[in-house]
Amino acid sequence: MNDDLFLGFDLSTQQIKAIAINSKLQPIIEANVEFDVDTPEYLTKKGVFTNAERQEVYAPVVMWIKAFDVLLGKLQMAGLDFAKVKCISGAGQQHGSVFWSEDAESMLASLDSEKTLAEQLDGRQFSHDMSPNWQDHSTGKECDAIEDTLGGPEKIAQLTGSKAHHRFTGPQIMRFRTLHPEKYDKTWRISLVSSFFASILLGKIAPIDVSDVCGMNLWDIPNSKWNDEIVRLVAGGTEAGKVELLRKLGEVELDGGKDLGPISNYYVRRFGFSSDCFITPVTGDNPATILALPLRPLDVIVSLGTSTTLLVSTPVYKTSPSYHIFSHPTTKGLYMGMLCYCNGSLAREKVRDEINVISPPSSDSWSSFNEAALTSPPLGVDSGNTSKIGIYFPLPEIIPDCKPGVWRFINDADSLHNASAEEWDIPTADARTILESQNLSMRLRAGPMLSSTGQPRRVYVVGGGSRNPAICEVTGQIFGPTEGVFKLELSNACALGSAYKALWSTQRMVDSSTGEYETFDDFLADRWDESTMIAKVDVGYRKGLWEKYGEVLPAFETAEKVAVESK
């Protein structure tokens, strides 16, 4: 057992990564292939093609196949003993779709081990050679049609976990059917990027994963089935069209640890994989991220990168057009909540740079910003009911749907008004206020997904911003996690979470009294060495302060509405 290896892949927008771990969760070998660098013949930029006029962003499917060839070669050169790999799982960029031709499965099943994948999976297997990317914004008309027909964004969110989104696969299929009717008619099956990758490994078309399917606007999450009304609309409005689209979509695998079958003989013969190595469902990249640590219910991950993303594990199916709810990738009865913001580090860096002009930093570029943030009192006031509230969007924001701009308000017990120059020390006061603004927005929306109090157990911070002590401290003050804020290094989170899932799928125990499998979180927690994996960076809950921030949430929500409605 000590020699067994478990392999996780991550097929993301700009690269494909792999990591092999042993049964003690220890990484053994890692490798990656960057599309623009390692497969330059496809001429992509940051892994995609862009048609700005039509707001389309897409990637060539055959590029991913060629990149997988290259990645397997890199793993082989790095010394990976493929014969020791017992199970494989993976993650795929969410929402993208792959359109298979009717010859696809027979070609997958008859691959020649003397040839590369790219030599054989050369495009004939696909009715359409491109996959829409999550950055695509071309489906506004389709999103409007879905929401208008089904009863608005709240209703769509209640059914599918999210309002209709441009990048989601349902609207993308709807547009593809209208724009390319001949290609749609020739499409035998439709995969997500995740199930496409599982299909390449299996040598047959794989089912869609229980969590990744929630990024389609087609899956009825509460009832665990395709939503007939939305599928019918996407398929053209007829019963016959609905039946045909359901056939193209196929089944959804509800068990995230299911043995989907052995790896294709192609890999056994060409690379020396064991014929006993099996494949488990490949999920989306965001669901895979929450598998990179034993995330308990009421735990939150905040990714502090160029954009800001919040992920939460929750037993509560509480929907809103403002965020996403997905079924948990491994645990029945749990859900994954997700908030995605365009503005993250760019907004913070803009304030930092403005402060550095008037107060050159004494050490690193953040020292003046951090000093201003931590010496300013919470909400900009030492006492009383008055508070400062700022909204900072250098980029157009999606939460809320708002144009770029900066808004500064003074809130007192009775009113909210625009701050005057005398009331706001620009830019010094912005240091704390921008951190409060970003965290208040997340707390406002994540609260319903947590307990009745809206208070998390833990907050895990990842990404570049997690290295900044001021950001971590303000995050802890506003979220008030009962056990604190923890920094987590997750450079290969999706691939690592996938490798952990492969291990769990192989070794999970069954409770003889209930017939239920050991949960992923329990399984991982038993093997997780917290002392080496994470570092506590803030105490979290401070009595009185967390409550004070809670009291200002209604005023903050009003401030956001003013920003959205301003011309």
Side-chain angles (χ1 to χ4, degrees):
M1 292 293 287
N2 290 335
D3 291 331
D4 290 347
L5 297 178
F6 307 88
L7 194 53
F9 291 97
D10 172 26
L11 176 50
S12 63
T13 301
Q14 299 187 46
Q15 60 185 322
I16 181 171
K17 306 175 186 176
I19 184 167
I21 65 168
N22 62 20
S23 58
K24 296 180 180 179
L25 308 183
Q26 296 168 326
I28 303 301
I29 288 177
E30 299 181 41
N32 75 289
V33 170
E34 188 175 345
F35 301 137
D36 292 2
V37 174
D38 295 297
T39 57
E41 63 269 33
Y42 295 100
L43 304 176
T44 57
K45 292 184 178 180
K46 296 186 176 180
V48 296
F49 297 123
T50 301
N51 184 329
E53 182 179 350
R54 299 173 69 165
Q55 296 185 295
E56 294 175 336
V57 183
Y58 47 90
V61 179
V62 291
M63 178 182 70
W64 298 338
I65 294 170
K66 173 64 179 294
F68 187 43
D69 268 331
V70 177
L71 182 64
L72 289 171
K74 286 190 174 186
L75 289 170
Q76 196 169 41
M77 290 180 63
L80 178 61
D81 187 347
F82 292 108
K84 293 182 178 180
V85 177
K86 297 302 178 185
C87 183
I88 300 173
S89 191
Q93 52 186 276
Q94 290 202 264
H95 318 299
S97 42
V98 175
F99 301 88
W100 299 96
S101 71
E102 62 180 356
D103 298 325
E105 196 153 51
S106 62
M107 293 176 129
L108 285 172
S110 57
L111 293 173
D112 182 352
S113 61
E114 297 300 316
K115 299 179 181 179
T116 66
L117 288 170
E119 287 176 307
Q120 302 174 83
L121 302 179
D122 54 7
R124 294 172 294 162
Q125 300 77 19
F126 309 107
S127 58
H128 184 49
D129 58 351
M130 297 292 170
S131 174
N133 178 263
W134 61 270
Q135 300 168 88
D136 189 281
H137 274 70
S138 65
T139 58
K141 182 174 69 174
E142 288 75 17
C143 290
D144 290 343
I146 291 172
E147 292 189 345
D148 290 346
T149 303
L150 272 293
E154 289 82 5
K155 181 64 175 178
I156 297 297
Q158 181 184 358
L159 291 171
T160 72
S162 305
K163 70 175 184 178
H165 281 275
H166 294 144
R167 64 189 184 276
F168 274 41
T169 324
Q172 290 287 346
I173 294 172
M174 189 175 181
R175 183 173 186 268
F176 175 69
R177 179 189 58 78
T178 304
L179 202 62
H180 304 289
E182 292 184 1
K183 291 183 177 180
Y184 179 80
D185 289 342
K186 292 179 181 178
T187 299
W188 179 62
R189 290 289 298 275
I190 300 173
S191 290
L192 298 180
V193 176
S194 55
S195 56
F196 153 79
F197 190 66
S199 301
I200 297 296
L201 291 168
L202 284 166
K204 62 181 181 180
I205 306 300
I208 295 174
D209 165 74
V210 64
S211 187
D212 210 13
V213 72
C214 302
M216 298 182 76
N217 280 140
L218 294 176
W219 184 250
D220 183 338
I221 297 177
N223 295 300
S224 296
K225 66 177 185 177
W226 298 110
N227 183 279
D228 281 351
E229 193 172 359
I230 304 177
V231 171
R232 183 185 295 108
L233 176 64
V234 167
T238 68
E239 184 66 17
K242 182 201 80 173
V243 172
E244 177 64 10
L245 179 52
L246 287 174
R247 185 195 63 75
K248 294 178 191 290
L249 294 169
E251 299 297 321
V252 174
E253 179 50 62
L254 302 181
D255 178 5
K258 180 72 175 291
D259 178 350
L260 297 180
I263 193 170
S264 166
N265 279 332
Y266 170 81
Y267 304 97
V268 176
R269 295 190 298 267
R270 187 171 179 85
F271 295 99
F273 277 92
S274 168
S275 58
D276 293 330
C277 174
F278 69 95
I279 312 301
T280 64
V282 178
T283 190
D285 50 6
N286 288 300
T289 297
I290 70 170
L291 302 180
L293 72 164
L295 198 69
R296 298 293 191 178
L298 311 184
D299 286 350
V300 169
I301 298 177
V302 178
S303 177
L304 297 164
T306 303
S307 58
T308 299
T309 302
L310 178 144
L311 301 172
V312 57
S313 176
T314 173
V316 180
Y317 185 73
K318 178 76 172 179
T319 61
S320 167
S322 297
Y323 55 77
H324 309 288
I325 289 284
F326 297 82
S327 295
H328 194 279
T330 63
T331 308
K332 185 178 180 181
L334 281 183
Y335 303 93
M336 183 193 80
M338 182 169 68
L339 303 174
C340 294
Y341 295 85
C342 292
N343 289 284
S345 63
L346 178 63
R348 296 189 294 270
E349 288 166 4
K350 189 172 185 296
V351 173
R352 176 202 65 186
D353 294 344
E354 291 169 352
I355 290 175
N356 287 349
V357 170
I358 65 170
S359 180
S362 58
S363 53
D364 69 85
S365 63
W366 287 96
S367 60
S368 295
F369 175 97
N370 290 354
E371 182 180 1
L374 296 181
T375 56
S376 297
L379 298 170
V381 293
D382 291 306
S383 61
N385 295 324
T386 303
S387 56
K388 293 179 179 177
I389 296 174
I391 308 291
Y392 303 82
F393 296 154
L395 296 175
E397 188 51 81
I398 54 176
I399 303 178
D401 185 2
C402 187
K403 67 178 184 179
V406 175
W407 296 264
R408 299 178 179 90
F409 303 97
I410 301 297
N411 172 62
D412 59 32
D414 301 311
S415 66
L416 185 77
H417 66 268
N418 291 319
S420 66
E422 292 75 23
E423 293 174 301
W424 202 292
D425 182 12
I426 300 173
T428 304
D430 291 325
R432 184 175 187 91
T433 310
I434 190 174
L435 300 182
E436 290 178 334
S437 178
Q438 293 179 336
N439 281 284
L440 285 170
S441 180
M442 289 188 286
R443 175 174 167 179
L444 175 68
R445 293 168 171 89
M449 295 185 279
L450 296 169
S451 63
S452 58
T453 65
Q455 187 174 17
R457 185 184 77 108
R458 288 185 173 190
V459 171
Y460 295 95
V461 289
V462 301
S466 67
R467 294 186 285 273
N468 186 307
I471 295 175
C472 294
E473 182 171 332
V474 176
T475 297
Q477 291 172 352
I478 293 176
F479 272 97
T482 56
E483 293 188 12
V485 179
F486 298 82
K487 177 185 172 184
L488 180 66
E489 294 292 347
L490 281 180
S491 58
N492 288 324
C494 300
L496 187 62
S498 300
Y500 288 166
K501 187 158 83 78
L503 173 61
W504 168 73
S505 300
T506 307
Q507 298 186 9
R508 60 183 179 169
M509 304 296 291
V510 177
D511 187 325
S512 58
S513 62
T514 64
E516 295 289 330
Y517 284 111
E518 178 183 15
T519 69
F520 176 85
D521 295 335
D522 286 342
F523 176 88
L524 192 61
D526 287 343
R527 294 155 176 80
W528 178 266
D529 183 0
E530 208 167 83
S531 64
T532 62
M533 300 288 195
I534 59 176
K536 191 170 185 176
V537 292
D538 187 74
V539 296
Y541 177 70
R542 297 160 172 85
K543 187 175 182 180
L545 186 54
W546 181 75
E547 290 81 1
K548 181 177 181 179
Y549 278 116
E551 291 170 0
V552 84
L553 285 176
F556 178 81
E557 188 172 16
T558 300
E560 281 193 334
K561 290 177 180 177
V562 173
V564 169
E565 294 168 1
S566 64
K567 302 298 183 183

